[in-house]
Amino acid sequence: LLVLLLATWTLFLNGVGLGRLEFIRHTEADRSLIAWEMVERGEYLVPELLASPILTKPPLYYWSAAALFNITGSTSEGVARSVSLLASVLMVLTQYLFFRLSSFSRPLSALSALMLSTSLLVFILSTVAEIDMLFGSFCLLGLYFGYYGTYRVAWFPILMS
């Protein structure tokens, strides 16, 4: 129940007005355009922008945005920004679960996750169509898996990191 409340809180806090503004920076539009071109062409392996390959960034954001475009049937600003919003939920839940698995109390674990969800950088990055929040979430997940695996001397979390 607490995990569901944390996810709802993060979605509400960072998701209000997600699609009301147009893209603020040109990079937001570029990221969305690359994902849109993937959907239009039906080719998902190599991201392209205006028929030239974009190999400077990892393609996970583009794949995620393209998947959301396909699922929702919309290519709006809000859908493009939803990837970052869902990544912020992943980050907050990772924080909570790591603290719980590290033998911290439930209230302290929830407090750490709430503090993360209300931090300024997480708030800003979860409302833009950029790679940063998704990358940060998986970096945090990898760090916590690595720490937990070495602390508990378990091979699976170490391999996952």
Side-chain angles (χ1 to χ4, degrees):
L1 180 65
L2 192 54
V3 171
L4 184 62
L5 285 173
L6 283 170
T8 305
W9 165 256
T10 306
L11 285 171
F12 175 74
L13 180 69
N14 300 334
V16 172
L18 199 62
R20 289 191 182 161
L21 292 175
E22 294 179 1
F23 290 129
I24 297 171
R25 298 176 5 192
H26 71 86
T27 54
E28 264 193 297
D30 289 347
R31 305 279 180 253
S32 300
L33 187 58
I34 291 167
W36 176 78
E37 283 188 13
M38 283 182 164
V39 172
E40 287 296 310
R41 286 189 342 264
E43 297 176 15
Y44 297 93
L45 188 58
V46 177
E48 291 184 5
L49 179 61
L50 303 174
S52 50
I54 303 295
L55 303 173
T56 57
K57 299 285 184 186
L60 183 60
Y61 175 83
Y62 308 127
W63 293 336
S64 302
L68 280 177
F69 289 165
N70 280 328
I71 290 169
T72 62
S74 171
T75 57
S76 68
E77 290 91 347
V79 175
R81 291 176 176 146
S82 295
V83 174
S84 296
L85 179 63
L86 294 174
S88 71
V89 172
L90 174 67
M91 183 180 273
V92 168
L93 294 181
T94 300
Q95 178 83 0
Y96 172 76
L97 292 175
F98 172 74
F99 270 68
R100 283 300 294 148
L101 291 173
S102 298
S103 303
F104 285 92
S105 67
R106 188 170 287 150
L108 186 60
S109 301
L111 180 63
S112 72
L114 281 173
M115 289 175 65
L116 179 64
S117 72
T118 58
S119 72
L120 184 61
L121 192 58
V122 168
F123 177 74
I124 290 171
L125 291 178
S126 66
T127 58
V128 294
E130 290 289 345
I131 294 170
D132 302 330
M133 183 55 73
L134 191 61
F135 182 70
S137 294
F138 279 103
C139 283
L140 184 70
L141 197 59
L143 286 170
Y144 284 168
F145 265 128
Y147 174 80
Y148 187 74
T150 55
Y151 178 71
R152 301 283 183 179
V153 191
W155 288 105
F156 179 73
I158 292 173
L159 292 174
M160 290 299 294
S161 70

